[in-house]
Amino acid sequence: SNNNEAPYTLLVADWFGQSINPALLFRFELTSMALIFSAARSQPAHSHPEARTGIFLAELWKYDVAEFFLTDPITNHYLEFNLSPEGAHWSAEFRAPRESIREINDPAITSQGESRSDGWNAQAVLPLEWLQKHFHFGPGSRLNATFILDSPHQRFLTASDLGEG
């Protein structure tokens, strides 16, 4: 990768502290136009069987998936965004955990990915203008990346320490 790309963060343990090998890599990049979420792993994925690059598809979380959560500092609602190893995506706005307000299938949001026998990499692009309009994106926003790996025996990873329970 070239030098002006953001570095990847490695996650080497699940949220119970058990080792994840190979590690999962992810990054958030903020450009003048978009928030870009990328994830990769050098191990085959067990993905939603209907997942294809760029499509909107529900229930990605039942399989291997990269996710992020973004809080709205004004409303305290949050965006949940799911990204499959193939680059399918799903998102929704929530007012509280498991209290969905609406699914968000907006053509402004794009995704892509590639799942191979030696691993996968996926990326989603969310325009800043869209994030500011719908989630008041800015300095007060909070963000966390989470992951589900090794389906069907799912293992859960989080970039931020979520504490107990």
Side-chain angles (χ1 to χ4, degrees), residues 41-60:
R41 191 177 187 214
S42 57
Q43 178 156 313
H46 303 279
S47 303
H48 193 299
E50 296 170 41
R52 302 291 179 271
T53 195
I55 70 167
F56 183 86
L57 184 64
E59 299 191 333
L60 295 175

Side-chain angles (χ1 to χ4, degrees), residues 41 43-48 60-65 85 147-156:
R41 191 177 187 214
Q43 178 156 313
H46 303 279
S47 303
H48 193 299
L60 295 175
W61 58 270
K62 291 184 173 181
Y63 303 87
D64 289 8
V65 71
F147 305 88
I148 299 172
L149 300 178
D150 300 339
S151 298
H153 307 289
Q154 292 188 327
R155 299 180 69 188
F156 303 95

Side-chain angles (χ1 to χ4, degrees), residues 11 16 19 21 36 48 57 59 63 76 86-87 106 136 138 140 142 152 155 158 164:
L11 291 184
F16 301 108
S19 178
N21 191 11
I36 303 168
H48 193 299
L57 184 64
E59 299 191 333
Y63 303 87
N76 287 321
E86 289 77 17
D106 192 307
H136 303 97
R142 291 175 47 219
R155 299 180 69 188
T158 176
E164 296 298 315

Side-chain angles (χ1 to χ4, degrees), residues 75-91:
T75 64
N76 287 321
H77 293 178
Y78 67 89
L79 171 70
E80 176 181 343
F81 193 94
N82 295 186
L83 178 64
S84 81
E86 289 77 17
H89 70 273
W90 175 89
S91 59

